[in-house]
Amino acid sequence: QVQLVESGGGLVQAGGSLRLSCAASISIFSIYVMGWYRQAPGKERELVAAITGGGSTNYAGSVKDRFTISRDNAKNTVYLQMNSLKSEDTAVYYCNVKYGDHVRYRFFEVWGQGTLVTVSS
């Protein structure tokens, strides 16, 4: 059973900072990509940032230079440091983990329960 535990959401004023964390409990399989997505009311879920096991990162253009994704492989934990927050960053943020067994070509993904980030202007 794979489980993700998210934390760190909340209410912050525009210009402020928040840090999200997501810890994955995964055994047997390898974790490949860890990332954060978000979904604002009435909008599609979108990728915010992702990081591979080797540390390669990918960011949405709207958050680049403001958000930083990092990962502690020993703890199977991914972080999202969010600075200079804007009202348009308000959304439910979901952790996403892609894992599997590349030798047997078995790949899976799991989603966190979501954590609400509200930025007041």
Side-chain angles (χ1 to χ4, degrees):
Q1 185 80 16
V2 175
Q3 289 186 329
L4 303 181
V5 178
E6 301 173 354
S7 61
L11 174 64
V12 64
Q13 288 189 331
S17 299
L18 280 176
R19 189 191 195 210
L20 305 182
S21 299
C22 172
S25 59
I26 296 177
S27 60
I28 301 175
F29 296 109
S30 299
I31 295 176
Y32 298 124
V33 181
M34 304 183 84
W36 291 95
Y37 289 70
R38 68 185 180 187
Q39 187 166 20
K43 294 190 176 181
E44 300 274 329
R45 188 174 297 189
E46 63 175 357
L47 173 69
V48 176
I51 185 168
T52 68
S56 297
T57 57
N58 182 35
Y59 292 94
S62 59
V63 307
K64 208 167 185 180
D65 299 328
R66 298 188 298 122
F67 291 9
T68 302
I69 190 169
S70 61
R71 174 172 171 170
D72 185 333
N73 290 328
K75 295 181 179 179
N76 287 342
T77 299
V78 62
Y79 307 95
L80 185 68
Q81 178 66 43
M82 304 184 292
N83 298 329
S84 303
L85 282 160
K86 306 175 181 179
S87 57
E88 51 263 45
D89 295 318
T90 295
V92 177
Y93 285 68
Y94 296 92
C95 178
N96 175 272
V97 172
K98 295 176 174 56
Y99 65 99
D101 181 346
H102 68 279
V103 174
R104 292 173 175 80
Y105 208 72
R106 297 177 64 193
F107 302 103
F108 312 93
E109 71 174 348
V110 60
W111 293 90
Q113 78 280 6
T115 185
L116 179 62
V117 171
T118 304
V119 183
S120 63
S121 56

